[in-house]
Amino acid sequence: MASVNAYLTFNRTCEAAFEFYKSVFGGEFTYMGKFKDMPPMDGCPPMAEEDGDLVMHVSLPISGETILMGSDSSESFGQTLNMGDNISLSINTASKEEADTLFNGLSAGGTVKMPMELTFWGAYFGMFTDKFGIHWMVNFDEKPV
């Protein structure tokens, strides 16, 4: 069965925000990766050096069922971040088939930002905004962490 978690996007302050959240909730990050750790991607311009230390993804377990996740955004990535529009719901599924079913169902009538595909981090992943303006991410871990 799928689990749903909050995914927060920040304007260059993700690491500071998550250090703060960790100080309040306790626990340890299960993952924190920086953009400089990503392999080069076809069709993408080279990344500015100052963007390399921005957070690509961070996970902080809050309870046995809930993980707070986040990343940085930057205008140099072609993304404009608006506060209040910087929260997505992230669905983690038990199978690739469940991921496809939920992605296809929830994205109907919406706008697909990234179709479901295998990623360099070992997940089957996609993103969309549904027809009501809610941002979603769907993830199946091919190689669970």
Side-chain angles (χ1 to χ4, degrees), residues 36-93:
K36 66 183 177 188
D37 301 327
M38 286 177 36
M41 300 183 66
D42 290 339
C44 292
M47 184 182 317
E49 191 174 325
E50 63 271 11
D51 292 337
D53 282 324
L54 295 177
V55 175
M56 178 192 69
H57 178 76
V58 60
S59 299
L60 177 64
I62 302 299
S63 72
E65 298 81 32
T66 305
I67 302 170
L68 187 60
M69 296 181 277
S71 67
D72 274 310
S73 180
S74 171
E75 288 191 11
S76 64
F77 300 158
Q79 300 170 329
T80 302
L81 184 67
N82 299 307
M83 289 304 167
D85 192 27
N86 59 327
I87 299 172
S88 298
L89 295 175
S90 176
I91 305 172
N92 292 307
T93 65

Short mmCIF file of all heavy atoms in Angstrom, two decimals, residues 36-93:
data_model
loop_
_atom_site.label_atom_id
_atom_site.label_comp_id
_atom_site.label_asym_id
_atom_site.label_seq_id
_atom_site.Cartn_x
_atom_site.Cartn_y
_atom_site.Cartn_z
N LYS A 36 25.66 18.68 -6.81
CA LYS A 36 26.97 18.36 -7.39
C LYS A 36 27.22 16.85 -7.47
O LYS A 36 28.10 16.41 -8.19
CB LYS A 36 28.09 19.04 -6.59
CG LYS A 36 28.23 18.53 -5.18
CD LYS A 36 29.30 19.30 -4.42
CE LYS A 36 29.40 18.84 -2.98
NZ LYS A 36 30.28 19.70 -2.21
N ASP A 37 26.42 16.07 -6.74
CA ASP A 37 26.56 14.61 -6.75
C ASP A 37 25.81 13.95 -7.91
O ASP A 37 25.96 12.75 -8.13
CB ASP A 37 26.04 14.02 -5.42
CG ASP A 37 26.79 14.58 -4.23
OD1 ASP A 37 28.00 14.88 -4.36
OD2 ASP A 37 26.16 14.72 -3.16
N MET A 38 25.00 14.73 -8.63
CA MET A 38 24.23 14.19 -9.76
C MET A 38 25.14 13.97 -10.96
O MET A 38 26.03 14.77 -11.21
CB MET A 38 23.14 15.18 -10.19
CG MET A 38 21.98 15.28 -9.29
SD MET A 38 20.76 16.54 -9.85
CE MET A 38 20.78 16.46 -11.61
N PRO A 39 24.87 12.91 -11.71
CA PRO A 39 25.60 12.77 -12.98
C PRO A 39 25.10 13.81 -13.98
O PRO A 39 23.96 14.27 -13.87
CB PRO A 39 25.25 11.35 -13.43
CG PRO A 39 23.96 11.04 -12.76
CD PRO A 39 23.94 11.81 -11.48
N PRO A 40 25.93 14.21 -14.96
CA PRO A 40 25.48 15.15 -15.98
C PRO A 40 24.26 14.57 -16.71
O PRO A 40 24.17 13.37 -16.92
CB PRO A 40 26.67 15.27 -16.93
CG PRO A 40 27.83 14.73 -16.18
CD PRO A 40 27.30 13.77 -15.17
N MET A 41 23.33 15.44 -17.08
CA MET A 41 22.12 14.98 -17.75
C MET A 41 22.05 15.56 -19.15
O MET A 41 22.31 16.75 -19.34
CB MET A 41 20.90 15.35 -16.92
CG MET A 41 20.97 14.71 -15.54
SD MET A 41 19.55 14.99 -14.49
CE MET A 41 18.28 14.13 -15.34
N ASP A 42 21.70 14.71 -20.12
CA ASP A 42 21.59 15.13 -21.52
C ASP A 42 20.61 16.29 -21.65
O ASP A 42 19.54 16.29 -21.05
CB ASP A 42 21.11 13.97 -22.39
CG ASP A 42 22.17 12.89 -22.54
OD1 ASP A 42 23.37 13.20 -22.34
OD2 ASP A 42 21.81 11.74 -22.87
N GLY A 43 20.98 17.28 -22.43
CA GLY A 43 20.11 18.40 -22.71
C GLY A 43 20.07 19.46 -21.64
O GLY A 43 19.38 20.46 -21.78
N CYS A 44 20.78 19.24 -20.53
CA CYS A 44 20.79 20.23 -19.45
C CYS A 44 22.09 21.03 -19.50
O CYS A 44 23.16 20.46 -19.70
CB CYS A 44 20.68 19.56 -18.09
SG CYS A 44 19.09 18.78 -17.80
N PRO A 45 22.00 22.34 -19.32
CA PRO A 45 23.23 23.15 -19.33
C PRO A 45 24.07 22.83 -18.10
O PRO A 45 23.56 22.30 -17.11
CB PRO A 45 22.70 24.59 -19.28
CG PRO A 45 21.35 24.48 -18.69
CD PRO A 45 20.80 23.13 -19.09
N PRO A 46 25.36 23.13 -18.13
CA PRO A 46 26.20 22.90 -16.96
C PRO A 46 25.67 23.69 -15.76
O PRO A 46 25.13 24.79 -15.91
CB PRO A 46 27.58 23.43 -17.38
CG PRO A 46 27.52 23.60 -18.85
CD PRO A 46 26.08 23.73 -19.24
N MET A 47 25.84 23.12 -14.59
CA MET A 47 25.36 23.74 -13.36
C MET A 47 26.35 24.79 -12.88
O MET A 47 27.56 24.58 -12.94
CB MET A 47 25.20 22.66 -12.29
CG MET A 47 24.61 23.18 -11.00
SD MET A 47 24.48 21.88 -9.74
CE MET A 47 23.87 20.52 -10.67
N ALA A 48 25.82 25.91 -12.40
CA ALA A 48 26.67 26.94 -11.81
C ALA A 48 27.33 26.36 -10.56
O ALA A 48 26.70 25.62 -9.80
CB ALA A 48 25.85 28.17 -11.46
N GLU A 49 28.59 26.70 -10.34
CA GLU A 49 29.34 26.16 -9.20
C GLU A 49 28.64 26.42 -7.87
O GLU A 49 28.58 25.54 -7.01
CB GLU A 49 30.75 26.75 -9.18
CG GLU A 49 31.67 26.06 -8.20
CD GLU A 49 33.10 26.56 -8.30
OE1 GLU A 49 33.55 26.89 -9.42
OE2 GLU A 49 33.75 26.62 -7.25
N GLU A 50 28.05 27.60 -7.70
CA GLU A 50 27.40 27.93 -6.42
C GLU A 50 26.13 27.10 -6.18
O GLU A 50 25.65 27.01 -5.07
CB GLU A 50 27.07 29.43 -6.33
CG GLU A 50 26.08 29.94 -7.34
CD GLU A 50 26.69 30.41 -8.66
OE1 GLU A 50 27.89 30.16 -8.90
OE2 GLU A 50 25.96 31.02 -9.44
N ASP A 51 25.60 26.47 -7.23
CA ASP A 51 24.41 25.63 -7.07
C ASP A 51 24.76 24.19 -6.68
O ASP A 51 23.89 23.44 -6.25
CB ASP A 51 23.59 25.61 -8.35
CG ASP A 51 22.95 26.95 -8.64
OD1 ASP A 51 22.77 27.75 -7.70
OD2 ASP A 51 22.62 27.21 -9.82
N GLY A 52 26.01 23.81 -6.81
CA GLY A 52 26.42 22.44 -6.52
C GLY A 52 26.17 22.01 -5.09
O GLY A 52 25.88 20.84 -4.83
N ASP A 53 26.29 22.92 -4.14
CA ASP A 53 26.09 22.58 -2.73
C ASP A 53 24.64 22.67 -2.29
O ASP A 53 24.34 22.42 -1.11
CB ASP A 53 26.97 23.46 -1.84
CG ASP A 53 28.42 22.99 -1.84
OD1 ASP A 53 28.64 21.77 -1.91
OD2 ASP A 53 29.32 23.85 -1.79
N LEU A 54 23.75 23.02 -3.19
CA LEU A 54 22.33 23.03 -2.84
C LEU A 54 21.84 21.58 -2.68
O LEU A 54 22.38 20.66 -3.29
CB LEU A 54 21.51 23.74 -3.91
CG LEU A 54 21.80 25.23 -4.08
CD1 LEU A 54 20.97 25.80 -5.22
CD2 LEU A 54 21.53 25.99 -2.79
N VAL A 55 20.81 21.39 -1.88
CA VAL A 55 20.29 20.06 -1.60
C VAL A 55 19.40 19.57 -2.74
O VAL A 55 18.41 20.21 -3.09
CB VAL A 55 19.50 20.06 -0.26
CG1 VAL A 55 18.85 18.70 -0.02
CG2 VAL A 55 20.41 20.43 0.90
N MET A 56 19.78 18.43 -3.31
CA MET A 56 18.99 17.78 -4.35
C MET A 56 17.84 17.01 -3.71
O MET A 56 16.72 17.01 -4.20
CB MET A 56 19.84 16.83 -5.17
CG MET A 56 19.07 16.08 -6.24
SD MET A 56 20.02 14.73 -6.96
CE MET A 56 20.11 13.59 -5.59
N HIS A 57 18.13 16.33 -2.58
CA HIS A 57 17.10 15.58 -1.85
C HIS A 57 17.59 15.31 -0.44
O HIS A 57 18.75 14.97 -0.23
CB HIS A 57 16.78 14.25 -2.53
CG HIS A 57 15.77 13.44 -1.80
ND1 HIS A 57 14.42 13.74 -1.83
CD2 HIS A 57 15.90 12.38 -0.98
CE1 HIS A 57 13.78 12.88 -1.06
NE2 HIS A 57 14.64 12.05 -0.54
N VAL A 58 16.65 15.43 0.53
CA VAL A 58 16.93 15.09 1.91
C VAL A 58 15.70 14.37 2.47
O VAL A 58 14.57 14.69 2.09
CB VAL A 58 17.29 16.33 2.77
CG1 VAL A 58 16.17 17.35 2.79
CG2 VAL A 58 17.70 15.93 4.18
N SER A 59 15.93 13.39 3.33
CA SER A 59 14.85 12.65 3.99
C SER A 59 15.11 12.63 5.48
O SER A 59 16.20 12.27 5.93
CB SER A 59 14.81 11.19 3.50
OG SER A 59 14.56 11.13 2.13
N LEU A 60 14.08 13.00 6.27
CA LEU A 60 14.16 12.98 7.72
C LEU A 60 12.95 12.22 8.26
O LEU A 60 11.82 12.74 8.22
CB LEU A 60 14.17 14.40 8.30
CG LEU A 60 14.18 14.51 9.82
CD1 LEU A 60 15.46 13.93 10.42
CD2 LEU A 60 14.00 15.96 10.26
N PRO A 61 13.16 10.97 8.73
CA PRO A 61 12.02 10.24 9.32
C PRO A 61 11.51 10.97 10.56
O PRO A 61 12.29 11.37 11.43
CB PRO A 61 12.63 8.89 9.70
CG PRO A 61 13.86 8.77 8.86
CD PRO A 61 14.37 10.17 8.69
N ILE A 62 10.19 11.15 10.61
CA ILE A 62 9.54 11.81 11.73
C ILE A 62 8.92 10.77 12.66
O ILE A 62 8.86 10.94 13.86
CB ILE A 62 8.44 12.78 11.23
CG1 ILE A 62 9.03 13.83 10.29
CG2 ILE A 62 7.70 13.44 12.37
CD1 ILE A 62 10.09 14.70 10.90
N SER A 63 8.44 9.67 12.07
CA SER A 63 7.87 8.55 12.81
C SER A 63 8.06 7.31 11.95
O SER A 63 8.64 7.39 10.87
CB SER A 63 6.39 8.78 13.09
OG SER A 63 5.63 8.65 11.90
N GLY A 64 7.53 6.18 12.41
CA GLY A 64 7.63 4.96 11.61
C GLY A 64 6.87 5.05 10.30
O GLY A 64 7.15 4.30 9.37
N GLU A 65 5.90 5.95 10.23
CA GLU A 65 5.06 6.08 9.03
C GLU A 65 5.32 7.34 8.23
O GLU A 65 4.86 7.46 7.10
CB GLU A 65 3.57 6.06 9.41
CG GLU A 65 3.10 4.79 10.07
CD GLU A 65 3.43 4.76 11.56
OE1 GLU A 65 3.46 5.82 12.20
OE2 GLU A 65 3.70 3.66 12.08
N THR A 66 6.00 8.32 8.79
CA THR A 66 6.11 9.63 8.14
C THR A 66 7.56 10.04 7.93
O THR A 66 8.37 9.95 8.84
CB THR A 66 5.42 10.71 9.02
OG1 THR A 66 4.08 10.30 9.27
CG2 THR A 66 5.44 12.06 8.34
N ILE A 67 7.83 10.51 6.71
CA ILE A 67 9.16 11.03 6.37
C ILE A 67 8.97 12.44 5.82
O ILE A 67 8.17 12.65 4.90
CB ILE A 67 9.86 10.16 5.31
CG1 ILE A 67 10.01 8.72 5.82
CG2 ILE A 67 11.21 10.75 4.93
CD1 ILE A 67 10.47 7.75 4.76
N LEU A 68 9.67 13.40 6.38
CA LEU A 68 9.68 14.76 5.86
C LEU A 68 10.80 14.82 4.83
O LEU A 68 11.94 14.44 5.12
CB LEU A 68 9.93 15.75 6.99
CG LEU A 68 9.81 17.23 6.65
CD1 LEU A 68 8.41 17.57 6.14
CD2 LEU A 68 10.15 18.07 7.86
N MET A 69 10.48 15.25 3.62
CA MET A 69 11.46 15.28 2.53
C MET A 69 11.54 16.68 1.95
O MET A 69 10.61 17.48 2.10
CB MET A 69 11.07 14.29 1.45
CG MET A 69 11.10 12.84 1.93
SD MET A 69 10.66 11.67 0.65
CE MET A 69 8.89 11.76 0.77
N GLY A 70 12.68 16.99 1.31
CA GLY A 70 12.82 18.30 0.72
C GLY A 70 13.96 18.42 -0.26
O GLY A 70 14.77 17.49 -0.41
N SER A 71 14.01 19.58 -0.90
CA SER A 71 15.09 19.91 -1.83
C SER A 71 15.14 21.42 -2.02
O SER A 71 14.23 22.13 -1.61
CB SER A 71 14.89 19.22 -3.18
OG SER A 71 13.77 19.73 -3.84
N ASP A 72 16.22 21.87 -2.64
CA ASP A 72 16.36 23.27 -3.00
C ASP A 72 15.89 23.49 -4.43
O ASP A 72 15.89 22.58 -5.25
CB ASP A 72 17.83 23.71 -2.92
CG ASP A 72 18.23 24.14 -1.53
OD1 ASP A 72 17.51 24.96 -0.93
OD2 ASP A 72 19.27 23.66 -1.05
N SER A 73 15.54 24.72 -4.70
CA SER A 73 15.22 25.18 -6.03
C SER A 73 16.12 26.37 -6.29
O SER A 73 16.68 26.94 -5.36
CB SER A 73 13.75 25.59 -6.11
OG SER A 73 13.44 26.05 -7.39
N SER A 74 16.26 26.74 -7.53
CA SER A 74 17.06 27.90 -7.86
C SER A 74 16.59 28.44 -9.20
O SER A 74 16.25 27.66 -10.09
CB SER A 74 18.54 27.50 -7.95
OG SER A 74 19.31 28.56 -8.47
N GLU A 75 16.56 29.75 -9.31
CA GLU A 75 16.19 30.34 -10.60
C GLU A 75 17.17 29.93 -11.70
O GLU A 75 16.81 29.87 -12.86
CB GLU A 75 16.06 31.85 -10.49
CG GLU A 75 14.83 32.23 -9.71
CD GLU A 75 14.51 33.71 -9.78
OE1 GLU A 75 15.11 34.43 -10.59
OE2 GLU A 75 13.62 34.12 -9.00
N SER A 76 18.41 29.60 -11.31
CA SER A 76 19.37 29.16 -12.32
C SER A 76 19.00 27.78 -12.87
O SER A 76 19.49 27.38 -13.91
CB SER A 76 20.79 29.15 -11.75
OG SER A 76 20.92 28.21 -10.71
N PHE A 77 18.09 27.07 -12.18
CA PHE A 77 17.58 25.79 -12.70
C PHE A 77 16.35 26.02 -13.57
O PHE A 77 15.71 25.08 -14.02
CB PHE A 77 17.17 24.84 -11.56
CG PHE A 77 18.26 24.46 -10.61
CD1 PHE A 77 17.94 24.02 -9.33
CD2 PHE A 77 19.58 24.51 -10.96
CE1 PHE A 77 18.92 23.65 -8.43
CE2 PHE A 77 20.58 24.14 -10.07
CZ PHE A 77 20.25 23.71 -8.81
N GLY A 78 15.98 27.30 -13.76
CA GLY A 78 14.80 27.61 -14.54
C GLY A 78 13.52 27.45 -13.73
O GLY A 78 12.44 27.32 -14.29
N GLN A 79 13.64 27.46 -12.40
CA GLN A 79 12.48 27.28 -11.53
C GLN A 79 12.26 28.55 -10.71
O GLN A 79 13.18 29.05 -10.09
CB GLN A 79 12.70 26.11 -10.58
CG GLN A 79 12.93 24.79 -11.27
CD GLN A 79 13.39 23.71 -10.30
OE1 GLN A 79 14.05 23.99 -9.32
NE2 GLN A 79 13.03 22.48 -10.59
N THR A 80 11.05 29.02 -10.73
CA THR A 80 10.68 30.13 -9.86
C THR A 80 9.86 29.55 -8.72
O THR A 80 8.87 28.87 -8.95
CB THR A 80 9.85 31.17 -10.63
OG1 THR A 80 10.62 31.63 -11.74
CG2 THR A 80 9.49 32.34 -9.74
N LEU A 81 10.29 29.80 -7.51
CA LEU A 81 9.64 29.24 -6.33
C LEU A 81 8.76 30.29 -5.69
O LEU A 81 9.20 31.41 -5.44
CB LEU A 81 10.69 28.76 -5.33
CG LEU A 81 10.18 28.08 -4.09
CD1 LEU A 81 9.53 26.75 -4.44
CD2 LEU A 81 11.34 27.83 -3.13
N ASN A 82 7.52 29.95 -5.48
CA ASN A 82 6.57 30.84 -4.80
C ASN A 82 6.20 30.20 -3.48
O ASN A 82 5.73 29.06 -3.45
CB ASN A 82 5.31 31.05 -5.64
CG ASN A 82 5.61 31.69 -6.97
OD1 ASN A 82 6.25 32.74 -7.01
ND2 ASN A 82 5.18 31.07 -8.05
N MET A 83 6.40 30.92 -2.37
CA MET A 83 6.01 30.39 -1.08
C MET A 83 4.52 30.09 -1.09
O MET A 83 3.73 30.86 -1.63
CB MET A 83 6.37 31.36 0.04
CG MET A 83 7.85 31.47 0.28
SD MET A 83 8.51 29.82 0.62
CE MET A 83 10.23 30.12 0.47
N GLY A 84 4.16 28.96 -0.53
CA GLY A 84 2.78 28.49 -0.57
C GLY A 84 2.55 27.54 -1.73
O GLY A 84 1.61 26.76 -1.73
N ASP A 85 3.43 27.61 -2.72
CA ASP A 85 3.36 26.74 -3.89
C ASP A 85 4.58 25.81 -3.88
O ASP A 85 4.98 25.30 -4.91
CB ASP A 85 3.34 27.59 -5.16
CG ASP A 85 2.98 26.79 -6.40
OD1 ASP A 85 2.28 25.78 -6.28
OD2 ASP A 85 3.42 27.19 -7.50
N ASN A 86 5.16 25.64 -2.69
CA ASN A 86 6.42 24.91 -2.60
C ASN A 86 6.27 23.62 -1.81
O ASN A 86 7.23 23.11 -1.26
CB ASN A 86 7.50 25.79 -1.96
CG ASN A 86 7.11 26.27 -0.57
OD1 ASN A 86 5.95 26.49 -0.28
ND2 ASN A 86 8.11 26.43 0.28
N ILE A 87 5.05 23.07 -1.77
CA ILE A 87 4.81 21.81 -1.08
C ILE A 87 4.19 20.83 -2.06
O ILE A 87 3.24 21.16 -2.78
CB ILE A 87 3.86 22.02 0.12
CG1 ILE A 87 4.48 22.99 1.11
CG2 ILE A 87 3.52 20.69 0.79
CD1 ILE A 87 3.56 23.41 2.23
N SER A 88 4.73 19.61 -2.09
CA SER A 88 4.18 18.53 -2.90
C SER A 88 3.84 17.37 -1.98
O SER A 88 4.41 17.25 -0.89
CB SER A 88 5.21 18.04 -3.92
OG SER A 88 5.57 19.05 -4.82
N LEU A 89 2.94 16.53 -2.44
CA LEU A 89 2.69 15.28 -1.74
C LEU A 89 3.46 14.20 -2.48
O LEU A 89 3.39 14.09 -3.70
CB LEU A 89 1.19 14.96 -1.73
CG LEU A 89 0.35 15.96 -0.94
CD1 LEU A 89 -1.12 15.63 -1.08
CD2 LEU A 89 0.78 15.98 0.52
N SER A 90 4.24 13.44 -1.73
CA SER A 90 5.08 12.40 -2.30
C SER A 90 4.49 11.04 -1.94
O SER A 90 4.34 10.72 -0.76
CB SER A 90 6.50 12.52 -1.74
OG SER A 90 7.31 11.46 -2.22
N ILE A 91 4.15 10.26 -2.96
CA ILE A 91 3.59 8.92 -2.76
C ILE A 91 4.69 7.91 -2.97
O ILE A 91 5.33 7.89 -4.04
CB ILE A 91 2.46 8.64 -3.76
CG1 ILE A 91 1.38 9.71 -3.68
CG2 ILE A 91 1.88 7.25 -3.53
CD1 ILE A 91 0.34 9.59 -4.77
N ASN A 92 4.93 7.06 -1.99
CA ASN A 92 5.86 5.94 -2.13
C ASN A 92 5.03 4.68 -2.24
O ASN A 92 4.21 4.39 -1.37
CB ASN A 92 6.82 5.87 -0.95
CG ASN A 92 7.77 7.04 -0.95
OD1 ASN A 92 8.44 7.30 -1.94
ND2 ASN A 92 7.79 7.78 0.13
N THR A 93 5.25 3.93 -3.33
CA THR A 93 4.41 2.77 -3.61
C THR A 93 5.16 1.46 -3.34
O THR A 93 6.38 1.44 -3.22
CB THR A 93 3.92 2.78 -5.07
OG1 THR A 93 5.05 2.64 -5.94
CG2 THR A 93 3.17 4.06 -5.39
#
